[in-house]
Amino acid sequence: MFYPAQAGAVAALNGPQDIVERNRSGYQARRDALCGGLRSIGWDVPDSKGSMFVWAKIPEGYATSAEFVLDLMDKTGVICVPGLSFGEQGEGYVRFALVVPPARMEEAVRRIKDSGILNRA
């Protein structure tokens, strides 16, 4: 491995860890707002563990992940990625990114709830 990359990794691992904890806490708050919020409105979405992404099985009544993503975007303005974009094994799932503050995650959950999209089946 390129030596400067090794030296950078050593510095990151041996240096102050407060930024690591702040980042970890931030992602956990976003994850909890999204996943917990979605579960509270009836979408059984597991907590992401160690990733900035959340994978969720598409709700009943949708044939493909792309169909669901387009309907979600149209009805709520909430955007996620169809699982098929990541290969055949991703079909039937969508991927959300934990890149906005918890308040925005809560707003997304509210929009999904208000749209009735989870009651399509």
Side-chain angles (χ1 to χ4, degrees):
M1 179 183 259
F2 184 57
Y3 179 74
Q6 291 179 40
V10 168
L13 290 170
N14 291 327
Q17 298 297 301
D18 56 323
I19 187 66
V20 174
E21 178 56 28
R22 279 197 312 269
N23 285 336
R24 190 198 63 74
S25 295
Y27 278 109
Q28 182 175 353
R30 294 174 199 163
R31 181 208 65 195
D32 292 349
L34 180 65
C35 296
L38 292 174
R39 284 192 300 271
S40 77
I41 63 171
W43 191 356
D44 188 22
V45 176
D47 285 339
S48 173
K49 300 202 186 309
S51 172
M52 64 178 280
F53 300 107
V54 170
W55 285 87
K57 189 166 180 60
I58 61 173
E60 294 290 323
Y62 289 91
T64 68
S65 56
E67 176 190 8
F68 174 71
V69 166
L70 291 172
D71 201 28
L72 181 70
M73 186 172 51
D74 182 52
K75 292 179 178 174
T76 69
V78 174
I79 298 174
C80 59
V81 180
L84 185 60
S85 299
F86 302 96
E88 289 181 25
Q89 292 182 339
E91 183 54 79
Y93 294 85
V94 294
R95 188 183 84 170
F96 291 93
L98 299 174
V99 295
V100 297
R104 294 279 309 270
M105 295 294 183
E106 292 164 0
E107 173 69 14
V109 169
R110 185 194 60 73
R111 289 181 185 191
I112 292 168
K113 177 183 178 188
D114 291 349
S115 76
I117 199 168
L118 298 180
N119 303 320
R120 180 175 169 169

